[in-house]
Amino acid sequence: MRIDVVTLFPEMFAPLEHSILGRAIEQGRLTVSYVNPRDFTSDRHRTVDDYPYGGGPGMVMKAEPIFLAVESVARPDSAVVLLSPTGRVFKQSIAAELATRDHLVLICGHYEGVDERVREHLATDEISIGDYVLTGGELAAMVVIDAVARLLPGVLGHAESASDESHSHGLLEYPQYTRPPEFRGWPVPERLLSGHHAEIAKWRRRQSLERTAQLRPDLMTSELLAELADDGTKKRGRRRRSTAEPATSAPAEPDTAVLADSTAPEGESPV
Ligand code: 4GX
């Protein structure tokens, strides 16, 4: 996959050279290049921003340097993604969707934003990494690059494999332990030491279900709720066709007990 990042600050992407992504780049599975809108200005001061029409605080990124920067790298098959708080909120399924593309162009905005014509006539997609306000799109672009790149063939080694993990199957991960079997008096759950693979798989599935119900009730589908309600005492296999789907109740809030401060008013949005 090729990714072109449109940014005023290419130095901010140095962390991508390290670790798993660095290896992917070295192996040629991923190419990340940078294109600076400032290189597509023609005035003496290389101006990339200007005052907003209609007045108001802050500056707006000018359309032309961004259009020229994108047009210098875009191909007919490119996904042109604007990182912005008004985009669709990034999640694993969007990462999976982007990972199928051959070419991504990621546009990182600064200041109060970018001229609306970039969103309307240049971007093919707009993504937010979450409901908070960043100083620029660079960190958001890095989050997207990291989540997408690890899904590319051969990027993760066998040990790191992407198939059996939180969010890909819609459940939170089960608890993991390594040696020693007891640390400061806290033991590893006995089932994990048993070597009984079927029992371990059952325990992990149960832990994933219970954790997800507790911490992320919004992720619980009616199927998962039914599986959670099933206490495992009935005989397995050859399940009878169910006559009714259990009703899914309105998504509950995540368990407030694990949140240090959940006093913010609901529905608060940075946009
Ligand atoms: N997820 N920001 C972008 C400037 C901006 C505003 C509008 C384009 C359109 C953010 C986020 C985010 C702050 C990056 C505003 N650029 N980006 N920047 N959350 O908060 O992606």
Side-chain angles (χ1 to χ4, degrees):
M1 167 181 277
R2 177 178 179 86
I3 302 179
D4 284 289
V5 184
V6 176
T7 174
L8 296 171
F9 303 101
E11 329 76 52
M12 283 185 70
F13 291 82
L16 296 186
E17 309 294 312
H18 297 274
S19 189
I20 293 171
L21 262 54
R23 189 178 66 199
I25 291 168
E26 271 175 26
Q27 291 174 339
R29 301 181 197 278
L30 173 67
T31 302
V32 185
S33 297
Y34 306 94
V35 51
N36 192 333
R38 208 175 286 286
D39 295 335
F40 295 85
T41 56
S42 43
D43 65 311
R44 208 161 57 85
H45 295 105
R46 312 225 298 160
T47 311
V48 291
D49 62 334
D50 206 341
Y51 301 98
Y53 273 122
M59 302 293 273
V60 175
M61 283 181 81
K62 292 166 68 63
E64 184 174 61
I66 297 177
F67 268 80
L68 293 175
V70 170
E71 286 161 0
S72 76
V73 295
R75 320 187 306 213
D77 66 328
S78 307
V80 180
V81 179
L82 177 64
L83 285 312
S84 148
T86 58
R88 54 185 180 137
V89 180
F90 194 54
K91 54 180 176 170
Q92 190 63 25
S93 60
I94 299 178
E97 178 189 318
L98 293 177
T100 68
R101 309 295 296 255
D102 289 329
H103 186 213
L104 305 182
V105 180
L106 304 181
I107 304 174
C108 305
H110 261 264
Y111 314 110
E112 293 307 301
V114 303
D115 188 295
E116 184 66 15
R117 289 164 288 195
V118 168
R119 178 184 284 123
E120 277 182 0
H121 303 295
L122 189 60
T124 61
D125 201 352
E126 189 179 350
I127 290 174
S128 164
I129 62 159
D131 291 339
Y132 37 79
V133 184
L134 304 171
T135 58
E138 283 77 11
L139 283 169
M142 273 188 271
V143 166
V144 170
I145 292 169
D146 191 276
V148 169
R150 63 187 292 289
L151 299 179
L152 301 176
V155 167
L156 295 188
H158 188 67
E160 301 144 345
S161 168
S163 63
D164 181 47
E165 65 194 353
S166 290
H167 296 292
S168 66
H169 52 52
L171 284 174
L172 299 186
E173 194 52 281
Y174 47 77
Q176 299 268 31
Y177 298 85
T178 186
R179 290 185 290 179
E182 185 173 313
F183 172 69
R184 297 190 177 175
W186 300 305
V188 172
E190 215 166 306
R191 300 275 278 283
L192 294 179
L193 308 176
S194 70
H196 192 315
H197 295 297
E199 281 298 307
I200 291 169
K202 262 202 286 183
W203 181 87
R204 286 176 165 171
R205 180 75 187 174
R206 190 87 214 146
Q207 289 286 319
S208 284
L209 282 166
E210 288 175 3
R211 273 191 166 191
T212 307
Q214 177 83 0
L215 300 174
R216 294 295 307 277
D218 56 306
L219 299 179
M220 295 298 288
T221 61
S222 56
E223 284 213 313
L224 290 171
L225 286 167
E227 189 182 348
L228 180 69
D230 185 343
D231 66 4
T233 57
K234 302 253 167 60
K235 277 208 188 106
R236 302 288 92 196
R238 292 193 314 278
R239 226 153 299 159
R240 297 174 61 189
R241 190 189 298 275
S242 73
T243 50
E245 277 295 289
T248 311
S249 52
E253 286 300 302
D255 183 1
T256 50
V258 300
L259 301 172
D261 180 9
S262 60
T263 56
E266 231 186 292
E268 189 179 280
S269 155
V271 297

